[in-house]
Amino acid sequence: MADKIEKITEQPSRFDHLEQMSVVELLRHINEEDCRVADAVRRAIPQIEALVEAVESRMKEGGRLFYIGAGTSGRLGVLDASELPPTFGVPDTKVIGIIAGGDRALRHAVERAEDVSEQGWEDLQTYSPTPNDTVLGIAASGTTPYVVGAVKLAKENGLLTGCITSNPNSPLAKAVDRPIETIVGPEFLTGSSRMKSGTAQKMVLNMISTTLMIRMGRVQGNRMVNMQLTNAKLVDRGTRMLQDILGVSYDEAQQRLLKAGSVNKASSDKIR
């Protein structure tokens, strides 16, 4: 007999009669529940550390990080991956987000996309995965077939595997090398894992990707010196960074920045 799974994510909310609450009561209670999320993530730091250290060594050998999920979890993975090139100047092939149902699922529900256990690994084949790569499955329930199937087959093929889930001892956590369990408790709206579980996922993804980018040399001091100069705000930010680093005027800093293409390159001895 299979072990019984404790689905905390499906347990009843601590609050009832929500439709009878005032606006301020609803907002305060949602905020009360959100305050529990940071503590749950803090408790998972040893697990997050173990994953990041394992991914870092593989990335330095040319490996990639794949996020794979369905619904909210998939969208959050794609979001985090898509923000890394403009923020840190890394290629969009270094961290890749995959969502069940493809890009259409970012805006629309794709019927039963998450229920096919072999599809996740099949979707990964587009990228010709290698043993230097890591697959991080994201699923609040820890039971999503698309995600569980993907990490199982990834592990069988020699890839490092990890996960982010909000239920303890889930099939997903048991299937991977480096599980991360953020036990945030029942949702304010029963079963709505886009709320606390989704917030925990976003926080952990921020921690993983930001730490990896720092460890990969994409940050100097506390500055995003490799950010892409894709709009006026970022050009201004980069110019002011360069002013501070080089002690030159705003106009000279901006000229150097635009010539070099990044703060990092503009602040090197090669740029005059």
Side-chain angles (χ1 to χ4, degrees):
M1 176 183 280
D3 294 337
K4 186 175 181 181
I5 303 163
E6 182 184 9
K7 285 195 176 183
I8 294 175
T9 53
E10 294 296 327
Q11 289 181 357
S13 171
R14 295 184 177 92
F15 303 88
D16 202 354
H17 307 299
L18 305 185
E19 72 281 3
Q20 297 175 22
M21 292 183 185
S22 67
V23 169
V24 71
E25 286 176 318
L26 290 167
L27 297 176
R28 284 175 177 168
H29 291 322
I30 291 171
N31 179 246
E32 287 170 17
E33 289 296 280
D34 284 345
C35 287
R36 300 174 183 268
V37 176
D39 282 340
V41 172
R42 176 181 51 80
R43 291 191 294 270
I45 285 177
Q47 295 179 322
I48 302 170
E49 177 189 17
L51 174 74
V52 169
E53 288 183 342
V55 175
E56 179 189 353
S57 63
R58 285 163 174 78
M59 273 197 163
K60 287 180 175 177
E61 294 297 324
R64 299 162 295 177
L65 173 58
F66 292 94
Y67 299 141
I68 190 161
T72 298
S73 299
R75 294 182 187 103
L76 289 170
V78 171
L79 171 64
D80 191 75
S82 68
E83 290 181 338
L84 301 186
T87 304
F88 298 104
V90 294
D92 60 10
T93 54
K94 198 65 177 174
V95 180
I96 298 166
I98 298 173
I99 182 171
D103 285 353
R104 175 175 169 76
L106 293 172
R107 294 180 179 273
H108 305 278
V110 178
E111 188 176 0
R112 302 186 67 82
E114 67 178 56
D115 294 335
V116 182
S117 60
E118 299 84 7
Q119 188 61 49
W121 179 246
E122 185 174 327
D123 289 347
L124 277 162
Q125 297 314 296
T126 301
Y127 304 95
S128 301
T130 76
N132 274 337
D133 296 331
T134 303
V135 176
L136 179 65
I138 313 170
S141 68
T143 60
T144 307
Y146 178 85
V147 180
V148 176
V151 298
K152 282 183 175 179
L153 286 168
K155 187 174 182 180
E156 288 176 13
N157 283 272
L159 282 71
L160 177 70
T161 56
C163 74
I164 306 172
T165 181
S166 295
N167 284 325
N169 304 310
S170 67
L172 179 58
K174 291 177 180 178
V176 303
D177 302 300
R178 299 287 189 274
I180 298 170
E181 296 174 313
T182 54
I183 313 304
V184 297
E187 297 288 356
F188 176 74
L189 185 62
T190 299
S192 182
S193 55
R194 71 183 182 85
M195 300 188 77
K196 288 194 298 181
S197 292
T199 300
Q201 291 169 354
K202 181 67 170 71
M203 291 173 71
V204 173
L205 289 167
N206 282 349
M207 294 166 76
I208 291 169
S209 59
T210 303
T211 301
L212 282 170
M213 292 299 101
I214 293 169
R215 298 287 293 176
M216 296 295 291
R218 310 305 297 182
V219 170
Q220 289 181 14
N222 57 16
R223 298 182 176 96
M224 298 178 289
V225 293
N226 289 287
M227 64 185 179
Q228 294 176 355
L229 307 175
T230 54
N231 58 47
K233 177 188 74 174
L234 296 180
V235 170
D236 177 68
R237 181 188 296 166
T239 300
R240 294 181 187 281
M241 283 186 195
L242 209 51
Q243 267 192 292
D244 186 46
I245 294 169
L246 299 179
V248 298
S249 70
Y250 185 94
D251 288 343
E252 183 178 347
Q254 187 172 89
Q255 288 176 8
R256 289 190 179 214
L257 179 66
L258 295 175
K259 179 180 178 182
S262 74
V263 176
N264 189 27
K265 290 180 180 178
S267 62
S268 72
D269 291 338
K270 295 179 182 179
I271 303 300
R272 297 296 181 187

